[in-house]
Amino acid sequence: MDFSGKYTAFKREELMQEVQMHMSERRFQHVLGVEEMAVALAAKYGASKEKASIAALTHDYAKERPDEEFELIIKRDGYDQDLLNYGNAIWHGLVGASMVQRELGIEDEEILEAIRLHTTGAAKMSLLDKIIYVADYIEIGRNFPGVKEARKVALVDLDEAVAYETKHTLLHLIEQEQKIYPKTIETYNYWVVGKAEQSV
């Protein structure tokens, strides 16, 4: 895919190289898998394939940065200080988007928001938000109970895929006795409980 120059000054190959320099090979392979899935979902559901590609390539840009770097940015840049009670799983999306903006010069708000929300989701999600959220969960390198079903759902109904992923992510976090970020619960209440209530 050739980028238009509207959303990033980088050509696709250049952006891939920038991203690759900031992560392990394993993480980079995941990123490429997410891009492939995101572009396919964008084609299916009528979103910008270019935006899907850029958001997917950069969604984990900050994933392997040290915790100290995130903590410094959270304290310095006016984030809700409650964020300090969470960890990389939350930080690399919410805070990582600002690193993408600052270091890669990507200013498009829809792309940045998709990066911010790719692990937590939200009640209000754009088509691109949903595509990156789901693509991250079902890319071809993922292998866990339920992922095949999640892929099937994603090809039929993107909103249902958001609900499926949110429900199973929450179940996993509860089983692991991990702290749950409030936005994840908000996502669950809207996409799982809210949708179920609407269908009654």
Side-chain angles (χ1 to χ4, degrees):
M1 180 191 302
D2 291 330
F3 289 169
S4 65
K6 261 197 289 193
Y7 311 115
T8 174
F10 293 112
K11 293 184 170 68
R12 180 174 172 272
E13 296 296 323
E14 293 169 342
L15 185 60
M16 285 168 62
Q17 285 169 0
E18 287 291 324
V19 167
Q20 189 172 17
M21 284 193 301
H22 287 89
M23 60 185 60
S24 62
E25 184 56 28
R26 183 171 164 270
R27 175 65 43 191
F28 184 61
Q29 290 307 314
H30 161 71
V31 162
L32 294 181
V34 175
E35 186 205 20
E36 184 180 347
M37 185 59 72
V39 170
L41 291 173
K44 178 167 178 55
Y45 292 107
S48 162
K49 290 188 280 186
E50 182 180 356
K51 280 193 180 189
S53 170
I54 294 166
L57 286 174
T58 55
H59 82 282
D60 272 356
Y61 178 70
K63 177 80 176 170
E64 294 178 353
R65 301 289 182 97
D67 286 357
E68 297 74 32
E69 191 173 346
F70 285 111
E71 287 163 356
L72 176 74
I73 292 170
I74 291 165
K75 288 172 184 169
R76 185 191 69 196
D77 291 354
Y79 286 91
D80 182 344
Q81 297 302 292
D82 183 50
L83 261 182
L84 293 167
N85 296 315
Y86 295 87
N88 179 281
I90 302 300
W91 296 340
H92 82 274
L94 279 175
V95 183
S98 69
M99 296 180 186
V100 168
Q101 185 177 20
R102 194 170 58 245
E103 296 174 19
L104 299 177
I106 293 169
E107 299 287 347
D108 184 84
E109 186 51 36
E110 194 181 7
I111 291 171
L112 294 173
E113 186 71 352
I115 297 168
R116 282 185 206 110
L117 298 182
H118 83 267
T119 56
T120 63
K124 298 248 184 306
M125 294 170 80
S126 72
L127 180 55
L128 185 64
D129 294 338
K130 290 186 271 190
I131 284 169
I132 300 303
Y133 183 72
V134 171
D136 183 36
Y137 192 74
I138 65 169
E139 63 94 358
I140 202 69
R142 296 285 201 199
N143 185 19
F144 54 83
V147 72
K148 287 180 181 169
E149 180 62 26
R151 287 185 188 121
K152 285 183 198 162
V153 174
L155 293 175
V156 177
D157 186 325
L158 194 61
D159 286 0
E160 281 300 318
V162 169
Y164 183 96
E165 173 184 338
T166 302
K167 180 178 176 179
H168 287 82
T169 297
L170 202 55
L171 284 169
H172 175 73
L173 291 170
I174 290 165
E175 281 169 8
Q176 301 290 316
E177 297 185 355
Q178 289 184 21
K179 196 167 190 176
I180 296 168
Y181 190 61
K183 206 168 200 71
T184 304
I185 296 169
E186 175 192 306
T187 307
Y188 173 81
N189 286 340
Y190 182 86
W191 291 98
V192 181
V193 181
K195 294 287 181 204
E197 286 171 350
Q198 285 170 23
S199 64
V200 172

